[in-house]
Amino acid sequence: MTKINDQAGTRNDALSSSSFSAPRSASASAPGKLILCGEHAVVYNRPAIALPLSQIRAQVTVAAGPPGTGLHLVAPDLDRIWSAAESPADPLCELAHATLLHLGFGAVDVRLTMLSTIPIASGMGSGAAIGAALVRALAAFLGRALDPAEVSALVYASEQRYHGTPSGIDNTVIAYEQAIWFQRPNATIEPITIAAPFTVIIGDTGMRCETRLPVGEVRRRWQADQATYEALFDQVGAVVTRVRDALAVGDFAALGVLLDANQSLLEQLGVSSPELEHLIMAVRNAGALGAKLSGGGWGGVMLALVDESSRERVAEALRQAGATQVLETRVEATLNETG
Ligand code: PMV
């Protein structure tokens, strides 16, 4: 079973001290994520499987500010600086305050600088990763360690305020940074057994879509015809269970077929798009074992399962088909209990 690293991604530049004294700065990071299967149905209590994308990360550095200046956020990528005093309802300012409250601190004079290589609103968990890095960096700055469950809960509460009904899968996979089986309503998390490593290629449509939009559309459709949509969610849940079995024995041919089946169900749920299907068709023609959209849909990214013989061809096919970004991620095998 994969070990959970409680301190994942934190670094505190403070001189060590048994009692808290303001350090110069502290940094923390959090990974992007990819939903392998089960998105949307996961909002309706079916299981889903998600993978951390450890190679693409958000990073937050907290530095002490002059006394009385309060909390400032800096996003150099967006060329933006803002303060909690001017924008108290800003989601990241609220998350910072919730974190301070959780840690038993009041106001602090700090500057939080955020950097991220995760594309925004693309289905790779950019918002949750920035949130998790911010929570961890503030905690590290204040000389505290938070376990993944606390990080996850703080980020979830923040996402809930701004994204309606998030399932909680994003904050969970990002805070724990391991492949997970996730299921509501109790946010049950189980590690996934992966018998052999495999490679996934991610293609970005370049179209940005806020998750709450397709989630809202599925909600409307479900409210109008619960029997049909509950049946579709059941089928997605069955696919996810079979994906877990395929991963456990390293049957990647079966995994590819299951990813295709999940895509077909996502199309029926109404969250695919012509741009996603264009990339999916291109990778299937180039020999991918299976392909589907990943995340909220209506834009964002798709994923393709490849083997060594199709890896390069699939990446090239995506570039030819107009993907604005092509990323490759290798998913490592988990250690088995005896090994
Ligand atoms: O768009 P993303 O990557 O945040 O994925 C959302 C996944 C959904 O199942 C569509 C919504 C959710 O909250 O789980």
Side-chain angles (χ1 to χ4, degrees):
M1 186 185 296
T2 310
K3 281 208 181 113
I4 294 167
N5 178 1
D6 282 1
Q7 298 298 308
T10 62
R11 181 169 62 83
N12 189 331
D13 292 339
L15 298 171
S16 67
S17 145
S18 53
S19 63
F20 172 71
S21 64
R24 294 186 306 272
S25 70
S27 294
S29 68
K33 72 98 211 333
L34 197 63
I35 298 183
L36 185 64
C37 55
E39 53 274 269
H40 285 287
V42 70
V43 175
Y44 299 82
N45 301 344
R46 273 54 166 203
I49 295 174
L51 310 167
L53 290 174
S54 297
Q55 306 93 324
I56 57 170
R57 306 188 75 85
Q59 176 171 331
V60 174
T61 299
V62 183
T69 52
L71 193 140
H72 283 78
L73 289 154
V74 186
D77 296 342
L78 306 176
D79 208 11
R80 227 190 122 203
I81 300 183
W82 65 106
S83 73
E86 289 160 5
S87 317
D90 172 83
L92 290 172
C93 292
E94 285 201 355
L95 179 57
H97 279 134
T99 305
L100 290 171
L101 205 66
H102 180 77
L103 294 167
F105 281 81
V108 289
D109 300 310
V110 289
R111 168 179 280 244
L112 292 96
T113 304
M114 298 167 289
L115 290 170
S116 175
T117 54
I118 309 166
I120 294 169
S122 63
M124 286 193 270
S126 153
I130 288 172
L134 182 151
V135 169
R136 283 184 181 147
L138 257 183
F141 180 81
L142 297 169
R144 300 290 180 82
L146 292 176
D147 63 34
E150 291 172 285
V151 174
S152 185
L154 283 160
V155 175
Y156 181 65
S158 166
E159 298 232 309
Q160 251 180 333
R161 278 199 293 279
Y162 298 95
H163 300 298
T165 52
S167 65
I169 192 168
D170 280 21
N171 48 281
T172 304
V173 67
I174 284 167
Y176 285 86
E177 200 163 343
Q178 68 172 77
I180 53 161
W181 166 278
F182 177 90
Q183 190 162 12
R184 292 176 92 191
N186 300 322
T188 314
I189 320 165
E190 287 170 31
I192 291 280
T193 302
I194 301 173
F198 61 98
T199 301
V200 169
I201 299 195
I202 303 162
D204 191 346
T205 61
M207 301 197 53
R208 301 291 167 246
C209 180
E210 288 177 45
T211 306
R212 66 183 174 82
L213 300 175
V215 168
E217 173 65 14
V218 173
R219 174 74 55 183
R220 276 187 290 280
R221 288 179 176 220
W222 174 78
Q223 277 163 347
D225 183 359
Q226 293 202 10
T228 299
Y229 284 84
E230 284 292 327
L232 285 170
F233 298 148
D234 281 342
Q235 288 182 63
V236 174
V239 166
V240 174
T241 303
R242 290 170 61 201
V243 165
R244 175 164 67 176
D245 297 344
L247 289 172
V249 296
D251 186 346
F252 297 117
L255 177 59
V257 172
L258 291 165
L259 297 179
D260 286 343
N262 195 170
Q263 170 61 21
S264 153
L265 292 163
L266 287 160
E267 287 170 18
Q268 291 173 64
L269 289 174
V271 296
S272 189
S273 73
E275 294 80 8
L276 282 162
E277 285 163 33
H278 176 62
L279 297 185
I280 289 167
M281 202 47 75
V283 296
R284 286 187 185 149
N285 290 338
L289 299 173
K292 63 181 277 292
L293 69 86
S294 178
W298 283 1
V301 296
M302 47 70 67
L303 62 84
L305 177 68
V306 294
D307 57 18
E308 217 22 68
S309 69
S310 61
R311 199 168 65 88
E312 300 252 315
R313 241 179 315 129
V314 166
E316 186 50 30
L318 279 174
R319 284 188 279 269
Q320 294 292 329
T324 54
Q325 235 183 128
V326 179
L327 302 168
E328 184 180 306
T329 185
R330 187 178 144 93
V331 183
E332 297 300 336
T334 52
L335 300 174
N336 63 35
E337 305 291 324
T338 53

